[in-house]
Amino acid sequence: MSEYGSDITLELPIHVDHDFDIDADGICNIVTFIYVGDEDDATESRVDLEGVSDEISEFYGDINGYQKLYSIAHEFSRLAEKLRATAGRIEDSTEAVDDLFNIPDE
């Protein structure tokens, strides 16, 4: 930055929303939607989840950070089990309804 710049303060309402998306190639992305002001259209940013994981491994990949890696891995495992349980519950309820009404598989 230039030494001749000046600091300003912008007060702007921003809403940020996050999601995961798996593209046609099977790549899982963290998707961030940024809404500025009262706009209905968002600016979208996509980041490869595996790339983020690799960066975290590199950043914490030393004697001072390995415990943080364990903590992050634990959280991913916990959330993965939670997602599997939800998906299983939905799958089981759909199959149960199909069986109840003798709906054939497509």
Side-chain angles (χ1 to χ4, degrees):
M1 290 192 296
S2 167
E3 63 185 78
Y4 300 105
S6 61
D7 294 334
I8 61 170
T9 301
L10 296 175
E11 292 190 27
L12 187 63
I14 296 175
H15 176 79
V16 181
D17 198 7
H18 308 282
D19 199 358
F20 289 100
D21 183 51
I22 299 177
D23 66 19
D25 296 322
I27 306 296
C28 186
N29 292 284
I30 301 169
V31 184
T32 301
F33 300 96
I34 302 171
Y35 298 87
V36 179
D38 293 332
E39 292 291 320
D40 290 332
D41 295 327
T43 299
E44 181 180 312
S45 174
R46 292 177 167 268
V47 179
D48 174 27
L49 179 61
E50 189 166 347
V52 172
S53 176
D54 291 345
E55 289 291 323
I56 289 170
S57 291
E58 186 175 323
F59 185 80
Y60 291 115
D62 61 22
I63 193 67
N64 297 315
Y66 76 94
Q67 291 175 330
K68 185 72 108 177
L69 288 175
Y70 275 127
S71 295
I72 293 168
H74 169 76
E75 287 303 306
F76 276 133
S77 293
R78 185 181 66 79
L79 293 172
E81 288 304 315
K82 185 176 176 181
L83 291 170
R84 281 188 195 97
T86 301
R89 191 170 50 254
I90 294 167
E91 180 182 39
D92 292 346
S93 68
T94 301
E95 289 178 2
V97 168
D98 291 351
D99 288 343
L100 181 64
F101 294 104
N102 296 319
I103 298 172
D105 291 336
E106 293 182 36

